[in-house]
């Protein structure tokens, strides 16, 4: 596969009547700006169409989707890193109560919670922009094949948003065309219907989209098929997932040889990145704030000891010396002291994912100390660049990797395992990911002739260590229905090491469906609250 080097700048904001599109309530429709363009004068030229497409991509940069902050406020957003901080991978322990999603961890969420409302809005804003393009681009005097490609790209983005919504709120309003204020109210559509529809949409889009594009960041056939596989996997449609993912493996993608340098601007155009959310920076106001910091490890997002322990030793065996965490002084952990050899001779992905005691941040030996000591003794490292300053790190040019080829390989392996077929193929896919990281094969560690249950355990573990802090863990816990175990482990970690974590409260089945935002219920009489939240 060719390396794509052209930058696709997607920083245009697309406002005004063009975007009065697809919400299901008056509250959801943006009011036209006095300086906005008119839909009667837009959608005329090829430049208009490209600007409309840019607006669809730009919506992905929302701080509650695939960015993580705004205005240098790490609590003013809830992107991929913060979504993982709602799981057993991490937390906002130092800043408990400040940041969106904290109340979900704490079990105090409601239909008025900020994340509940803002995640809904962010996804529907992108849907609105995509529907506007799909509904209007045919008015433009331009090449028909280009129109079809634009519509296919917008369709894939829209499908991703509906996947997000169905994984959280489950049954939601399903809108595929522009709306006016007079027909804005609508009922929910059941999750299974939405899933079936978006799978067909993405398959149709994949048939149109090119295998390669000279404008990096644009959606390709491989991106569409990878999303199709993710949708199918998340909804236990194993045969459909296998079919989509197997086709992706024929398109020329490959694993980048060095995981430890993968999450850098130098390698964001490599053949492992199937779909990246593009950013330009620093200093252009079009940058990525996911790795924002103040010149030291960022204590706003903590990793967990539980995640650190999930990275095995170099022989492929679990780490067992779990009493070597930190110095205990008068029964209290000394968070500023290094912890000897605890994190040596471990899976190389560990120190790419987490900043650990004894590691060096740029030219400074911070040990535990950034702006403040991490309550867990562990910080997040993935996507953070110590070479950037306190200002440039909040506006960096690092792309966010929405889909990597390693996810495809592990997802295909999982689908084989859940289908209880081609188990040898599943093992070879897991081995491919392990060996890229410098870890031994399944056969050399766990043996051969393994059961479906054992292989399920192996692939789920591999997903966690390979994909940590890429915004996938929460949905994995939801779809596997294993959130209770994750919550118990983090509460046990806090108790065992006397860490000052907030207590995480598991609320049973309510955890697996978010309430419909109260603002939407108030403005749309046709919407009803999810049964578990009435």
């Amino acid at each position: 596969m060719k390396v794509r080097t052209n930058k696709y700048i997607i920083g245009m904001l697309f406002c005004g009547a063009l975007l009065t599109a697809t919400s299901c309530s008056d509250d959801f429709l943006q009011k036209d700006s006095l300086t906005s363009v008119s839909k009667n004068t837009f959608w005329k030229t090829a430049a208009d169409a490209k600007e409309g497409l840019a607006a669809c991509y730009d919506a992905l940069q929302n701080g509650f989707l695939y960015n993580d902050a705004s205005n240098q406020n790490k609590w003013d957003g809830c992107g991929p890193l913060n979504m993982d901080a709602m799981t057993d991978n991490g937390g906002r322990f130092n800043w408990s109560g400040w940041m969106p999603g904290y109340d979900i961890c704490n079990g105090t969420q409601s239909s008025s919670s900020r994340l509940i409302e803002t995640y809904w809005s962010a996804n529907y804003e992108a849907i609105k922009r995509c529907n506007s393009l799909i509904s209007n681009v045919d008015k433009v005097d331009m090449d028909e094949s280009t129109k079809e490609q634009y519509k296919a790209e917008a369709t894939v983005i829209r499908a991703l948003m509906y996947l997000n919504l169905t994984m959280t709120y489950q049954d939601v309003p399903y809108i595929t065309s522009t709306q006016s204020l007079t027909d804005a109210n609508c009922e929910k559509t059941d999750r299974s219907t939405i899933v079936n529809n978006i799978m067909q949409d993405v398959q149709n889009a994949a048939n149109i989209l090119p295998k390669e594009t000279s404008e990096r960041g644009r959606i390709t056939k491989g991106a569409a098929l990878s999303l199709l596989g993710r949708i199918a996997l998340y909804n236990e449609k194993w045969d459909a997932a296998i079919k989509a993912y197997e086709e992706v493996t024929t398109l020329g993608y490959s694993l980048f040889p060095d995981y430890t340098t993968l999450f850098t601007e130098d390698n964001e155009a490599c053949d492992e990145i199937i779909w990246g959310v593009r950013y330009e920076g620093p200093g252009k106001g079009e940058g990525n704030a996911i790795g924002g910091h103040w010149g030291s490890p960022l204590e706003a997002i903590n990793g967990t000891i539980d995640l650190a322990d999930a990275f095995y030793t170099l022989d492929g065996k679990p780490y067992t010396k779990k009493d070597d965490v930190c110095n205990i002084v008068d029964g209290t952990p000394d968070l500023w002291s290094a912890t000897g050899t605890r994190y040596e001779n471990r899976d190389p992905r560990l120190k790419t994912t987490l900043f650990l005691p004894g590691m060096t941040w740029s030219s400074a030996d911070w040990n535990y100390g950034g702006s403040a000591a991490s309550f867990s003794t562990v910080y997040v490292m993935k996507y953070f660049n110590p070479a950037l300053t306190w200002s440039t790190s909040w506006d960096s040019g690092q792309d966010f990797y929405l889909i990597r080829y390693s996810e495809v390989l592990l997802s295909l392996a999982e689908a084989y395992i859940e289908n209880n077929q081609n188990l040898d193929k599943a093992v070879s896919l897991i081995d491919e990911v392990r060996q890229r990281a410098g870890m031994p094969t399944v056969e050399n560690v766990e043996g051969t002739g393994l059961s479906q249950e054992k292989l399920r355990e192996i692939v789920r573990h591999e997903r966690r260590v390979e994909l940590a802090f890429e915004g996938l863990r929460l949905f994995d816990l939801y779809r596997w229905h294993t959130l209770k175990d994750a919550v118990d482990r983090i509460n046990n970690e806090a108790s065992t090491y006397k860490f000052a974590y907030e207590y995480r409260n598991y609320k049973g089945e309510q955890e697996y469906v978010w309430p419909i935002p109260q603002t939407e219920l108030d403005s749309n009489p046709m919407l009803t609250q999810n049964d578990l939240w009435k």
Side-chain angles (χ1 to χ4, degrees), residues 296-314:
S296 63
L298 187 75
E299 84 285 354
I301 302 179
N302 316 119
T304 61
I305 298 295
D306 187 73
L307 174 60
D309 284 344
F311 291 86
Y312 292 161
T313 54
L314 287 174

Side-chain angles (χ1 to χ4, degrees), residues 53-126:
L53 182 64
C56 299
Y57 281 97
D58 180 77
L60 299 177
Q61 295 184 349
N62 187 290
F64 285 80
L65 292 176
Y66 305 107
N67 209 330
D68 234 353
S70 64
N71 302 319
Q72 299 194 14
N73 290 335
K74 202 63 183 178
W75 59 89
D76 189 21
C78 194
L81 271 62
N82 273 303
M83 290 291 270
D84 263 36
M86 294 164 61
T87 74
D88 49 356
N89 282 355
R92 282 72 61 90
F93 308 125
N94 286 48
W95 290 15
S96 294
W98 288 39
M99 301 163 76
Y102 162 77
D103 51 358
I104 292 178
C105 297
N106 200 231
T108 59
Q109 72 270 37
S110 71
S111 59
S112 297
S113 293
R114 186 167 179 233
L115 179 58
I116 298 297
E117 292 186 340
T118 311
Y119 192 67
W120 174 286
S121 299
N123 281 283
Y124 273 111
E125 174 63 26

Side-chain angles (χ1 to χ4, degrees), residues 365-441:
D365 181 9
W366 284 101
N367 289 333
Y368 291 108
S371 298
S374 166
F375 283 6
S376 71
T377 77
V378 177
Y379 304 87
V380 180
M381 189 67 179
K382 185 179 284 186
Y383 280 113
F384 283 84
N385 181 357
L388 296 178
T389 67
W390 67 270
S391 58
T392 58
S393 66
W394 295 92
D395 186 26
S396 83
Q398 172 65 54
D399 293 358
F400 173 73
Y401 303 153
L402 209 155
I403 302 176
R404 294 193 289 119
Y405 189 53
S406 63
E407 180 200 339
V408 168
L409 297 179
L410 293 176
S411 295
L412 178 55
E414 182 181 344
Y416 283 147
I417 292 166
E418 294 300 337
N419 227 19
N420 207 18
Q421 296 178 352
N422 296 316
L423 298 185
D424 288 343
K425 287 185 178 179
V427 169
S428 68
L429 294 169
I430 296 169
D431 284 345
E432 191 174 344
V433 176
R434 281 188 174 187
Q435 290 180 297
R436 184 271 295 274
M439 295 295 287
T441 65

